[in-house]
Amino acid sequence: MAQWTKRDRAHMKRALQLARRGLRSADPNPRVGCVVARGGKIVAEAFHKQAGGAHAEAAALARAGRAAEGADVFVTLAPCRHQGRTPPCAAQLAAAKVARVVAACDDPNPAAAGGLAELRAAGVRVECGLLATEARELNAGFFMRFEKKRPFIRLKSAASVDGVTAMAGGESKWITGTAARDAGRKLRARASAVVTGSGTVLADNPALRAPNQKRQPLRVVVDSKLRAPPGAEIFAPPGPAMVVTACADENLFAPFQKRGVRVRAVKADAAGRVDLGALAAVLCEEECNEAHLECGATLAGAFFAAGLVDEWVLYLAPKILGRGGAGLAGLRLPNLGAAVNFTFHGARRVGEDLQLTLRPD
Ligand code: AOF
Ligand code: ZN
């Protein structure tokens, strides 16, 4: 196990900071940052901005020029060994004659793996694992896609403090304040896909776009019986959209397909609804790292029941809306022992509301 100095940690921290700049743009690629240092001083740094663009190491090496020779390179993901949309980073690092490469963690993508071994074979000092937890957390969805064959699923909900998301008459605009709503919309922008149900499309006709973004997440409507109107806002450009259904009658797909909306049929569960495991597998095929779920209590409840909520971001408004309205999770549980348990991972005030972040136990 390599022993890392304070300076090493500081360089990797900086690389992680750089990687975060790709939070909303790198998709479907991981967010990666890179620092080139000599004698403890940073001589070049870069991050991976978007798929098809230079990888973090390639961009940093280009900036470092001849200064890369003999340098220490800190990168938040092991350098790739493959020719993808761009040339392999490991070979470029070796050709630049860097002295040492420190990676925060390995690349889970089998197509890209093997870069560190190649560098080692080329005589470069190689270390891996510095700030690995932080690096994996930043790309939790990317790791999940390769390791579990499904995306990291983040559910976003908003309710009054007594857990009401809409009044009995359907009125739900707006329970939380503008700051919380903006924060919720901003969360969409980091996701590969924004997922909702046909119930929400029929009730609210939301667009579910990410605000001010060049890269629009894929918008996915879970629609077991193809009830959503093809003319709904969510299917309109800009940005791609897709329907995932349990309906096998392909004749019913045409009105969506005519609008450029893809339809994927998956297996139904016992109740005839889209099997959520199959949906997750479809999202994985679509190279979704993070899926942002914004939906009503029924679909949210089904995701909870399936154990497919990896993070729950819940906005709570300081008001009581009373009985009769819709709740957060349409789950029917037999007793307290059957409760779905979480740990609070974060809590902060957003405008007049609270943002709670929960992860399942
Ligand atoms: C790196 N540095 O900055 C990133 C890496 O198709 P490409 O060429 O964009 O390759 C994508 C894959 O490369 C991606 O799935 C992941 O395994 C790795 N990403 N690797 O060395 C980077 N973004
Ligand atoms: Zn690379």
Side-chain angles (χ1 to χ4, degrees):
M1 190 72 200
Q3 286 299 306
W4 290 294
T5 64
K6 256 188 168 165
R7 204 172 255 170
D8 290 341
R9 294 178 77 82
H11 288 328
M12 191 59 89
K13 263 203 172 139
R14 175 66 188 151
L16 279 165
Q17 217 172 45
L18 293 161
R20 265 180 218 111
R21 293 195 190 160
L23 187 73
R24 300 181 182 89
S25 62
D27 184 85
N29 280 353
R31 299 124 183 170
V32 182
C34 179
V35 159
V36 180
R38 279 176 73 117
K41 284 217 166 57
I42 295 178
V43 295
E45 51 180 38
F47 72 102
H48 180 56
K49 190 163 179 221
Q50 63 196 49
H55 282 187
E57 304 91 312
L61 284 177
R63 282 184 191 160
R66 308 255 312 257
E69 193 171 335
D72 292 349
V73 175
F74 296 83
V75 60
T76 60
L77 189 78
C80 68
R81 205 183 71 101
H82 76 309
Q83 169 70 48
R85 281 167 276 230
T86 62
C89 291
Q92 294 177 68
L93 288 161
K97 299 197 170 65
V98 305
R100 176 181 175 227
V101 171
V102 184
C105 56
D106 274 316
D107 188 331
N109 179 1
L116 290 179
E118 183 180 319
L119 282 162
R120 202 174 280 126
V124 178
R125 214 174 118 199
V126 167
E127 294 152 27
C128 187
L130 175 57
L131 299 183
T133 308
E134 291 83 348
R136 283 182 65 99
E137 169 68 23
L138 180 61
N139 288 309
F142 183 75
F143 279 90
M144 207 151 212
R145 169 153 72 93
F146 288 100
E147 291 172 359
K148 296 200 179 168
K149 304 282 176 262
R150 70 172 184 85
F152 180 94
I153 301 175
R154 179 181 291 112
L155 169 67
K156 184 236 127 184
S157 314
S160 61
V161 80
D162 59 335
V164 176
T165 59
M167 301 305 282
E171 201 188 349
S172 63
K173 289 187 170 74
W174 299 103
I175 292 171
T176 50
T178 48
R181 273 156 26 218
D182 287 348
R185 290 192 188 109
K186 211 167 165 197
L187 271 182
R188 291 177 196 153
R190 63 176 293 167
S192 315
V194 173
V195 179
T196 194
S198 52
T200 296
V201 172
L202 286 164
D204 301 337
N205 193 21
L208 296 181
R209 278 192 206 95
N212 316 315
Q213 291 299 314
K214 215 165 83 188
R215 182 193 69 82
Q216 279 297 325
L218 171 69
R219 287 165 300 161
V220 177
V221 177
V222 183
D223 191 357
S224 303
K225 301 192 168 61
L226 289 182
R227 295 185 305 150
E233 200 54 51
I234 196 163
F235 299 126
M242 185 169 92
V243 173
V244 177
T245 186
C247 167
D249 183 358
E250 292 192 9
N251 295 318
L252 299 175
F253 298 178
F256 296 98
Q257 290 164 336
K258 258 187 232 150
R259 287 168 201 263
V261 176
R262 281 183 302 141
V263 182
R264 292 277 309 256
V266 298
K267 72 172 181 187
D269 66 9
R273 300 169 312 184
V274 163
D275 180 277
L276 296 183
L279 167 70
V282 164
L283 294 175
C284 178
E285 280 170 38
E286 296 289 328
E287 297 189 310
C288 287
N289 298 327
E290 292 178 20
H292 173 106
L293 181 60
E294 219 173 304
C295 61
T298 310
L299 190 57
F303 270 91
F304 282 129
L308 284 172
V309 176
D310 300 299
E311 185 172 278
W312 187 15
V313 179
L314 171 58
Y315 294 93
L316 285 182
K319 56 183 74 160
I320 285 175
L321 294 176
R323 285 164 59 171
L328 285 163
L331 279 175
R332 205 167 276 284
L333 301 170
N335 50 44
L336 202 50
V340 184
N341 293 305
F342 297 88
T343 298
F344 285 118
H345 262 245
R348 67 178 180 116
R349 186 86 183 252
V350 180
E352 59 266 41
D353 304 310
L354 272 189
Q355 177 188 297
L356 302 177
T357 305
L358 302 87
R359 293 214 176 159
D361 289 347

